[in-house]
PDB file of all heavy atoms in Angstrom:
ATOM      1  N   THR A 229     114.305  63.331  86.036  1.00 97.00           N
ATOM      2  CA  THR A 229     115.008  64.297  86.879  1.00 97.00           C
ATOM      3  C   THR A 229     115.704  65.402  86.059  1.00 97.00           C
ATOM      4  O   THR A 229     115.630  66.577  86.413  1.00 97.00           O
ATOM      5  CB  THR A 229     116.050  63.634  87.789  1.00 97.00           C
ATOM      6  OG1 THR A 229     116.814  62.745  87.018  1.00 97.00           O
ATOM      7  CG2 THR A 229     115.401  62.870  88.920  1.00 97.00           C
ATOM      8  N   LEU A 232     113.100  67.826  84.587  1.00 97.00           N
ATOM      9  CA  LEU A 232     112.463  68.508  85.687  1.00 97.00           C
ATOM     10  C   LEU A 232     113.388  69.605  86.232  1.00 97.00           C
ATOM     11  O   LEU A 232     112.971  70.752  86.458  1.00 97.00           O
ATOM     12  CB  LEU A 232     112.133  67.491  86.776  1.00 97.00           C
ATOM     13  CG  LEU A 232     111.172  67.864  87.894  1.00 97.00           C
ATOM     14  CD1 LEU A 232     109.876  68.447  87.329  1.00 97.00           C
ATOM     15  CD2 LEU A 232     110.856  66.631  88.740  1.00 97.00           C
ATOM     16  N   ARG A 233     114.672  69.252  86.402  1.00 98.00           N
ATOM     17  CA  ARG A 233     115.626  70.220  86.941  1.00 98.00           C
ATOM     18  C   ARG A 233     115.741  71.424  86.003  1.00 98.00           C
ATOM     19  O   ARG A 233     115.671  72.575  86.445  1.00 98.00           O
ATOM     20  CB  ARG A 233     116.992  69.566  87.108  1.00 98.00           C
ATOM     21  CG  ARG A 233     117.984  70.483  87.808  1.00 98.00           C
ATOM     22  CD  ARG A 233     119.378  69.874  87.977  1.00 98.00           C
ATOM     23  NE  ARG A 233     119.352  68.538  88.525  1.00 98.00           N
ATOM     24  CZ  ARG A 233     119.765  67.432  87.885  1.00 98.00           C
ATOM     25  NH1 ARG A 233     120.269  67.503  86.651  1.00 98.00           N
ATOM     26  NH2 ARG A 233     119.712  66.272  88.477  1.00 98.00           N
ATOM     27  N   ILE A 236     112.610  73.579  86.291  1.00 97.00           N
ATOM     28  CA  ILE A 236     112.583  74.324  87.567  1.00 97.00           C
ATOM     29  C   ILE A 236     113.535  75.518  87.471  1.00 97.00           C
ATOM     30  O   ILE A 236     113.210  76.639  87.903  1.00 97.00           O
ATOM     31  CB  ILE A 236     112.962  73.416  88.760  1.00 97.00           C
ATOM     32  CG1 ILE A 236     111.831  72.404  89.030  1.00 97.00           C
ATOM     33  CG2 ILE A 236     113.250  74.229  90.029  1.00 97.00           C
ATOM     34  CD1 ILE A 236     112.141  71.366  90.106  1.00 97.00           C
ATOM     35  N   LEU A 245     107.213  79.915  92.848  1.00 98.00           N
ATOM     36  CA  LEU A 245     107.155  78.758  91.941  1.00 98.00           C
ATOM     37  C   LEU A 245     106.141  77.760  92.477  1.00 98.00           C
ATOM     38  O   LEU A 245     106.182  77.370  93.643  1.00 98.00           O
ATOM     39  CB  LEU A 245     108.551  78.105  91.861  1.00 98.00           C
ATOM     40  CG  LEU A 245     108.641  76.768  91.126  1.00 98.00           C
ATOM     41  CD1 LEU A 245     108.274  76.908  89.657  1.00 98.00           C
ATOM     42  CD2 LEU A 245     110.068  76.198  91.248  1.00 98.00           C
ATOM     43  N   LEU A 247     104.686  74.020  91.756  1.00 98.00           N
ATOM     44  CA  LEU A 247     104.779  72.771  91.018  1.00 98.00           C
ATOM     45  C   LEU A 247     103.506  71.992  91.325  1.00 98.00           C
ATOM     46  O   LEU A 247     102.955  72.076  92.434  1.00 98.00           O
ATOM     47  CB  LEU A 247     106.006  71.957  91.476  1.00 98.00           C
ATOM     48  CG  LEU A 247     107.329  72.650  91.234  1.00 98.00           C
ATOM     49  CD1 LEU A 247     107.997  73.019  92.544  1.00 98.00           C
ATOM     50  CD2 LEU A 247     108.228  71.764  90.404  1.00 98.00           C
ATOM     51  N   ASP A 257     107.640  60.103  91.673  1.00 92.00           N
ATOM     52  CA  ASP A 257     107.418  61.408  92.322  1.00 92.00           C
ATOM     53  C   ASP A 257     108.772  61.992  92.667  1.00 92.00           C
ATOM     54  O   ASP A 257     109.377  61.709  93.693  1.00 92.00           O
ATOM     55  CB  ASP A 257     106.546  61.221  93.579  1.00 92.00           C
ATOM     56  CG  ASP A 257     105.111  60.854  93.191  1.00 92.00           C
ATOM     57  OD1 ASP A 257     104.642  61.367  92.161  1.00 92.00           O
ATOM     58  OD2 ASP A 257     104.484  60.083  93.917  1.00 92.00           O
ATOM     59  N   LEU A 258     109.269  62.823  91.753  1.00 95.00           N
ATOM     60  CA  LEU A 258     110.686  63.227  91.788  1.00 95.00           C
ATOM     61  C   LEU A 258     110.895  64.665  92.225  1.00 95.00           C
ATOM     62  O   LEU A 258     112.043  65.143  92.277  1.00 95.00           O
ATOM     63  CB  LEU A 258     111.289  63.040  90.389  1.00 95.00           C
ATOM     64  CG  LEU A 258     111.123  61.633  89.793  1.00 95.00           C
ATOM     65  CD1 LEU A 258     111.493  61.638  88.327  1.00 95.00           C
ATOM     66  CD2 LEU A 258     111.965  60.646  90.577  1.00 95.00           C
ATOM     67  N   VAL A 259     109.827  65.378  92.472  1.00 96.00           N
ATOM     68  CA  VAL A 259     109.925  66.836  92.663  1.00 96.00           C
ATOM     69  C   VAL A 259     110.836  67.171  93.863  1.00 96.00           C
ATOM     70  O   VAL A 259     111.746  68.001  93.739  1.00 96.00           O
ATOM     71  CB  VAL A 259     108.513  67.449  92.807  1.00 96.00           C
ATOM     72  CG1 VAL A 259     108.589  68.849  93.410  1.00 96.00           C
ATOM     73  CG2 VAL A 259     107.834  67.499  91.455  1.00 96.00           C
ATOM     74  N   GLU A 260     110.592  66.537  95.000  1.00 96.00           N
ATOM     75  CA  GLU A 260     111.404  66.870  96.175  1.00 96.00           C
ATOM     76  C   GLU A 260     112.883  66.518  95.977  1.00 96.00           C
ATOM     77  O   GLU A 260     113.779  67.274  96.353  1.00 96.00           O
ATOM     78  CB  GLU A 260     110.849  66.169  97.410  1.00 96.00           C
ATOM     79  CG  GLU A 260     109.588  66.836  97.931  1.00 96.00           C
ATOM     80  CD  GLU A 260     108.673  65.884  98.662  1.00 96.00           C
ATOM     81  OE1 GLU A 260     108.018  65.052  98.002  1.00 96.00           O
ATOM     82  OE2 GLU A 260     108.658  65.955  99.890  1.00 96.00           O
ATOM     83  N   GLU A 261     113.105  65.372  95.336  1.00 96.00           N
ATOM     84  CA  GLU A 261     114.495  64.936  95.068  1.00 96.00           C
ATOM     85  C   GLU A 261     115.242  65.995  94.231  1.00 96.00           C
ATOM     86  O   GLU A 261     116.377  66.393  94.538  1.00 96.00           O
ATOM     87  CB  GLU A 261     114.424  63.601  94.334  1.00 96.00           C
ATOM     88  CG  GLU A 261     115.752  63.002  93.942  1.00 96.00           C
ATOM     89  CD  GLU A 261     115.539  61.748  93.063  1.00 96.00           C
ATOM     90  OE1 GLU A 261     114.539  61.000  93.292  1.00 96.00           O
ATOM     91  OE2 GLU A 261     116.345  61.559  92.140  1.00 96.00           O
ATOM     92  N   VAL A 262     114.584  66.461  93.173  1.00 97.00           N
ATOM     93  CA  VAL A 262     115.222  67.413  92.289  1.00 97.00           C
ATOM     94  C   VAL A 262     115.425  68.767  92.992  1.00 97.00           C
ATOM     95  O   VAL A 262     116.477  69.395  92.875  1.00 97.00           O
ATOM     96  CB  VAL A 262     114.411  67.572  90.986  1.00 97.00           C
ATOM     97  CG1 VAL A 262     114.915  68.731  90.151  1.00 97.00           C
ATOM     98  CG2 VAL A 262     114.441  66.274  90.182  1.00 97.00           C
ATOM     99  N   LEU A 263     114.420  69.166  93.750  1.00 97.00           N
ATOM    100  CA  LEU A 263     114.566  70.441  94.475  1.00 97.00           C
ATOM    101  C   LEU A 263     115.717  70.328  95.478  1.00 97.00           C
ATOM    102  O   LEU A 263     116.493  71.280  95.653  1.00 97.00           O
ATOM    103  CB  LEU A 263     113.247  70.779  95.200  1.00 97.00           C
ATOM    104  CG  LEU A 263     112.140  71.340  94.300  1.00 97.00           C
ATOM    105  CD1 LEU A 263     110.796  71.275  95.010  1.00 97.00           C
ATOM    106  CD2 LEU A 263     112.448  72.792  93.892  1.00 97.00           C
ATOM    107  N   ALA A 264     115.829  69.185  96.163  1.00 97.00           N
ATOM    108  CA  ALA A 264     116.916  68.987  97.125  1.00 97.00           C
ATOM    109  C   ALA A 264     118.258  69.084  96.421  1.00 97.00           C
ATOM    110  O   ALA A 264     119.199  69.719  96.923  1.00 97.00           O
ATOM    111  CB  ALA A 264     116.741  67.651  97.830  1.00 97.00           C
ATOM    112  N   GLU A 265     118.363  68.477  95.254  1.00 97.00           N
ATOM    113  CA  GLU A 265     119.629  68.548  94.469  1.00 97.00           C
ATOM    114  C   GLU A 265     119.999  69.999  94.146  1.00 97.00           C
ATOM    115  O   GLU A 265     121.180  70.337  94.033  1.00 97.00           O
ATOM    116  CB  GLU A 265     119.477  67.788  93.152  1.00 97.00           C
ATOM    117  CG  GLU A 265     119.687  66.301  93.260  1.00 97.00           C
ATOM    118  CD  GLU A 265     119.328  65.608  91.945  1.00 97.00           C
ATOM    119  OE1 GLU A 265     119.399  66.249  90.885  1.00 97.00           O
ATOM    120  OE2 GLU A 265     118.966  64.443  92.022  1.00 97.00           O
ATOM    121  N   LEU A 266     118.940  70.817  93.947  1.00 97.00           N
ATOM    122  CA  LEU A 266     119.192  72.230  93.609  1.00 97.00           C
ATOM    123  C   LEU A 266     119.478  73.055  94.863  1.00 97.00           C
ATOM    124  O   LEU A 266     119.593  74.266  94.802  1.00 97.00           O
ATOM    125  CB  LEU A 266     117.983  72.805  92.883  1.00 97.00           C
ATOM    126  CG  LEU A 266     117.790  72.336  91.432  1.00 97.00           C
ATOM    127  CD1 LEU A 266     116.407  72.710  90.925  1.00 97.00           C
ATOM    128  CD2 LEU A 266     118.863  72.959  90.530  1.00 97.00           C
ATOM    129  N   GLY A 267     119.516  72.379  96.028  1.00 97.00           N
ATOM    130  CA  GLY A 267     119.865  73.072  97.275  1.00 97.00           C
ATOM    131  C   GLY A 267     118.694  73.634  98.027  1.00 97.00           C
ATOM    132  O   GLY A 267     118.839  74.554  98.845  1.00 97.00           O
ATOM    133  N   ALA A 268     117.459  73.122  97.782  1.00 97.00           N
ATOM    134  CA  ALA A 268     116.289  73.674  98.432  1.00 97.00           C
ATOM    135  C   ALA A 268     116.299  73.386  99.923  1.00 97.00           C
ATOM    136  O   ALA A 268     116.823  72.375 100.391  1.00 97.00           O
ATOM    137  CB  ALA A 268     115.025  73.056  97.822  1.00 97.00           C
ATOM    138  N   GLU A 269     115.730  74.343 100.693  1.00 97.00           N
ATOM    139  CA  GLU A 269     115.384  74.034 102.084  1.00 97.00           C
ATOM    140  C   GLU A 269     113.875  73.827 102.147  1.00 97.00           C
ATOM    141  O   GLU A 269     113.127  74.516 101.443  1.00 97.00           O
ATOM    142  CB  GLU A 269     115.839  75.134 103.063  1.00 97.00           C
ATOM    143  CG  GLU A 269     115.400  76.508 102.708  1.00 97.00           C
ATOM    144  CD  GLU A 269     115.834  77.557 103.743  1.00 97.00           C
ATOM    145  OE1 GLU A 269     115.925  77.270 104.949  1.00 97.00           O
ATOM    146  OE2 GLU A 269     116.110  78.704 103.307  1.00 97.00           O
ATOM    147  N   PHE A 270     113.452  72.841 102.941  1.00 97.00           N
ATOM    148  CA  PHE A 270     112.043  72.531 103.049  1.00 97.00           C
ATOM    149  C   PHE A 270     111.532  72.985 104.405  1.00 97.00           C
ATOM    150  O   PHE A 270     112.097  72.617 105.430  1.00 97.00           O
ATOM    151  CB  PHE A 270     111.820  71.023 102.887  1.00 97.00           C
ATOM    152  CG  PHE A 270     112.155  70.511 101.498  1.00 97.00           C
ATOM    153  CD1 PHE A 270     113.468  70.069 101.214  1.00 97.00           C
ATOM    154  CD2 PHE A 270     111.220  70.513 100.496  1.00 97.00           C
ATOM    155  CE1 PHE A 270     113.777  69.632  99.942  1.00 97.00           C
ATOM    156  CE2 PHE A 270     111.545  70.068  99.211  1.00 97.00           C
ATOM    157  CZ  PHE A 270     112.823  69.628  98.941  1.00 97.00           C
ATOM    158  N   GLN A 273     107.128  69.173 104.734  1.00 96.00           N
ATOM    159  CA  GLN A 273     106.913  68.211 103.669  1.00 96.00           C
ATOM    160  C   GLN A 273     105.731  67.336 104.106  1.00 96.00           C
ATOM    161  O   GLN A 273     105.929  66.285 104.670  1.00 96.00           O
ATOM    162  CB  GLN A 273     108.165  67.371 103.440  1.00 96.00           C
ATOM    163  CG  GLN A 273     109.279  68.171 102.764  1.00 96.00           C
ATOM    164  CD  GLN A 273     110.613  67.429 102.734  1.00 96.00           C
ATOM    165  OE1 GLN A 273     111.289  67.363 103.751  1.00 96.00           O
ATOM    166  NE2 GLN A 273     110.961  66.883 101.594  1.00 96.00           N
ATOM    167  N   VAL A 284     104.121  70.447  99.896  1.00 97.00           N
ATOM    168  CA  VAL A 284     105.500  70.783 100.280  1.00 97.00           C
ATOM    169  C   VAL A 284     105.667  72.292 100.156  1.00 97.00           C
ATOM    170  O   VAL A 284     105.155  72.908  99.208  1.00 97.00           O
ATOM    171  CB  VAL A 284     106.485  70.047  99.319  1.00 97.00           C
ATOM    172  CG1 VAL A 284     107.903  70.554  99.537  1.00 97.00           C
ATOM    173  CG2 VAL A 284     106.396  68.562  99.490  1.00 97.00           C
ATOM    174  N   GLY A 286     108.825  75.347 100.591  1.00 98.00           N
ATOM    175  CA  GLY A 286     110.245  75.605 100.861  1.00 98.00           C
ATOM    176  C   GLY A 286     110.781  76.764 100.053  1.00 98.00           C
ATOM    177  O   GLY A 286     110.022  77.575  99.509  1.00 98.00           O
ATOM    178  N   ARG A 287     112.118  76.830 100.006  1.00 98.00           N
ATOM    179  CA  ARG A 287     112.790  77.917  99.280  1.00 98.00           C
ATOM    180  C   ARG A 287     113.992  77.329  98.549  1.00 98.00           C
ATOM    181  O   ARG A 287     114.727  76.524  99.109  1.00 98.00           O
ATOM    182  CB  ARG A 287     113.231  79.004 100.259  1.00 98.00           C
ATOM    183  CG  ARG A 287     113.801  80.237  99.566  1.00 98.00           C
ATOM    184  CD  ARG A 287     113.831  81.440 100.465  1.00 98.00           C
ATOM    185  NE  ARG A 287     114.279  81.103 101.818  1.00 98.00           N
ATOM    186  CZ  ARG A 287     114.136  81.891 102.881  1.00 98.00           C
ATOM    187  NH1 ARG A 287     113.584  83.077 102.752  1.00 98.00           N
ATOM    188  NH2 ARG A 287     114.545  81.499 104.043  1.00 98.00           N
ATOM    189  N   VAL A 288     114.125  77.729  97.303  1.00 98.00           N
ATOM    190  CA  VAL A 288     115.274  77.264  96.541  1.00 98.00           C
ATOM    191  C   VAL A 288     115.923  78.477  95.869  1.00 98.00           C
ATOM    192  O   VAL A 288     115.257  79.248  95.193  1.00 98.00           O
ATOM    193  CB  VAL A 288     114.874  76.166  95.506  1.00 98.00           C
ATOM    194  CG1 VAL A 288     113.851  76.671  94.486  1.00 98.00           C
ATOM    195  CG2 VAL A 288     116.110  75.591  94.816  1.00 98.00           C
ATOM    196  N   ARG A 289     117.213  78.645  96.122  1.00 97.00           N
ATOM    197  CA  ARG A 289     117.954  79.776  95.566  1.00 97.00           C
ATOM    198  C   ARG A 289     117.192  81.105  95.738  1.00 97.00           C
ATOM    199  O   ARG A 289     117.021  81.893  94.824  1.00 97.00           O
ATOM    200  CB  ARG A 289     118.277  79.548  94.093  1.00 97.00           C
ATOM    201  CG  ARG A 289     119.037  78.251  93.928  1.00 97.00           C
ATOM    202  CD  ARG A 289     119.766  78.169  92.628  1.00 97.00           C
ATOM    203  NE  ARG A 289     120.352  76.860  92.455  1.00 97.00           N
ATOM    204  CZ  ARG A 289     120.722  76.363  91.290  1.00 97.00           C
ATOM    205  NH1 ARG A 289     120.578  77.065  90.185  1.00 97.00           N
ATOM    206  NH2 ARG A 289     121.252  75.158  91.227  1.00 97.00           N
ATOM    207  N   PHE A 293     108.774  78.229  97.021  1.00 98.00           N
ATOM    208  CA  PHE A 293     108.023  77.324  96.135  1.00 98.00           C
ATOM    209  C   PHE A 293     107.034  76.535  96.954  1.00 98.00           C
ATOM    210  O   PHE A 293     107.180  76.315  98.158  1.00 98.00           O
ATOM    211  CB  PHE A 293     108.973  76.370  95.385  1.00 98.00           C
ATOM    212  CG  PHE A 293     109.702  75.399  96.282  1.00 98.00           C
ATOM    213  CD1 PHE A 293     109.112  74.232  96.733  1.00 98.00           C
ATOM    214  CD2 PHE A 293     111.004  75.686  96.709  1.00 98.00           C
ATOM    215  CE1 PHE A 293     109.772  73.363  97.572  1.00 98.00           C
ATOM    216  CE2 PHE A 293     111.670  74.821  97.553  1.00 98.00           C
ATOM    217  CZ  PHE A 293     111.065  73.657  97.992  1.00 98.00           C
TER     218      PHE A 293
END
Side-chain angles (χ1 to χ4, degrees):
T229 48
L232 195 51
R233 187 182 310 117
I236 289 175
L245 171 63
L247 298 113
D257 290 325
L258 306 169
V259 163
E260 284 152 286
E261 178 187 325
V262 170
L263 284 164
E265 278 172 26
L266 288 167
E269 53 178 326
F270 294 91
Q273 288 170 283
V284 171
R287 186 162 42 195
V288 60
R289 303 200 187 160
F293 65 82

